Amino acid sequence: MVHADLQYPEGAAADWTISQDWDRYSAADHAMWDALFERQARMLPDRVVPEFMDGLDMLRMTRPGIPNFDELSERLMKATGWQVVAVPGLVPDAVFFEHLANRRFVAGRFIRTPSEIDYLQEPDIFHDVFGHVPLLAHPVFADYMQAYGEGGLRAARLGAIDYLARLYWYTVEFGLIRQGEGLKLYGAGIVSSFGEAVFALDDPSPNRIGFDLKRLMRTKYRIDDYQQNYFVIDSFEDLLRQTVETDFGPIYAELEHQSDIEIDTILPEDVVYSRGTQAYARARSASSTGEGSFI
Ligand code: HBI
Ligand code: FE
């Protein structure tokens, strides 16, 4: 959806950015960041791509407390030319794409409360900054994110945002990558989630299949619970190459004539890393709680 008619909120700039107001975080806010950080930092090192841990170090995100966006941006700018800017919450797609295309990552500035620790309606600063920012220090991933923003602006003109949004979902948010003998995490939605960081790699329930651009863009996804399917890329270089060297225009035109693929389907031509039992998803739908998302 492009909300061309949607006015930016009061107090925000025309590009929807606001000041982070870092001085206004309370001790409880910083303590919440530290608790979330420690919980993830304990479990991630063997699970996440090493480039993510390198990013945390390089950006000095291993220091306690909520990061200051100006300091983060200064370090990121030197590494890859990216900046982090604050926004009030979800911004319209066109605004989001325009920022990415200009190497600005938009982040929420609020942090979840203790009752929301595993369970959020809208991405908070921990998801946006801990989950997304470390890989922006990686030159290839940084280029991919910019290319995604440019692709988003084009998809908006072609009425194809829904297809492109799936690419974001299944790579930037919930992507897995093949490294050495095994799979590693890189998607921000997994990396910032205590439960899904284990589930996505270890649980027998979800399918894990090889990245295939057209196949991926036909595949539905869910926003209300752990994923039932993950796509596995070979490398960031491969992901960037497949997306920047591909003209998405003809693909969108072709996809219009094809049906969507259900989330738990495995096709004969899929490269299958795990054929999931879907036991988790079945148990959850039997006792549906229905709300919240797990980023
Ligand atoms: N706004 N703040 C924010 N963060 C997002 O991740 C975001 C957004 N607006 C739109 C959007 N994502 C997605 O709909 C696009 O990926 C398609
Ligand atoms: Fe996100």
Side-chain angles (χ1 to χ4, degrees), residues 40 53 74 102 110 116 130 136 159 171 189 242 244 260 280:
Q40 292 311 92
M53 301 305 291
E74 206 180 301
N102 289 286
F110 72 98
E116 300 166 309
F130 180 86
L136 292 173
T171 61
Q242 287 209 46
V244 297
D260 284 347
Y280 173 83

Side-chain angles (χ1 to χ4, degrees), residues 14-70:
D15 65 0
W16 285 67
T17 58
I18 54 178
S19 158
Q20 185 190 9
D21 283 339
W22 188 85
D23 294 332
R24 288 176 58 174
Y25 291 117
S26 67
D29 293 336
H30 288 295
M32 174 53 84
W33 173 280
D34 291 344
L36 290 163
F37 187 98
E38 274 156 34
R39 195 168 74 153
Q40 292 311 92
R42 237 179 295 131
M43 137 202 22
L44 282 179
D46 301 334
R47 300 177 171 275
V48 75
V49 277
E51 291 87 343
F52 178 91
M53 301 305 291
D54 295 345
L56 283 182
D57 274 344
M58 186 193 300
L59 300 171
R60 304 280 191 273
M61 289 175 68
T62 47
R63 291 178 310 188
I66 296 175
N68 181 314
F69 290 179
D70 292 336

Side-chain angles (χ1 to χ4, degrees), residues 183-288:
L183 304 182
K184 292 266 156 81
L185 314 172
Y186 76 91
I190 312 177
V191 164
S192 65
S193 160
F194 184 63
E196 197 151 1
V198 174
F199 178 88
L201 286 184
D202 297 351
D203 202 279
S205 190
N207 298 333
R208 300 176 184 88
I209 63 183
F211 177 89
D212 176 286
L213 185 64
K214 275 193 244 175
R215 197 277 191 221
L216 180 157
M217 289 204 287
R218 291 175 59 200
T219 310
K220 295 182 181 177
Y221 61 85
R222 62 186 304 161
I223 61 168
D224 59 335
D225 206 331
Y226 298 156
Q227 300 304 300
Q228 288 175 252
N229 178 52
Y230 298 94
F231 284 96
V232 180
I233 61 169
D234 286 337
S235 65
F236 293 136
E237 286 77 8
D238 187 55
L239 177 63
L240 178 65
R241 194 173 40 72
Q242 287 209 46
T243 46
V244 297
E245 287 180 6
T246 307
D247 181 357
F248 282 36
I251 296 183
Y252 297 146
E254 188 184 329
L255 292 180
E256 257 181 66
H257 304 286
Q258 297 190 323
S259 54
D260 284 347
I261 299 172
E262 292 305 320
I263 196 164
D264 57 353
T265 300
I266 291 188
L267 301 174
E269 60 271 30
D270 287 336
V271 172
V272 181
Y273 290 92
S274 323
R275 190 172 290 272
T277 62
Q278 300 299 335
Y280 173 83
R282 264 201 299 277
R284 293 282 293 184
S285 67
S287 67
S288 178

Side-chain angles (χ1 to χ4, degrees), residues 87 89-91 93 96-97 106 148 165 168:
V87 288
L90 285 177
V91 301
D93 292 336
F96 183 68
F97 296 141
V106 297
Y148 182 84
Y168 194 83

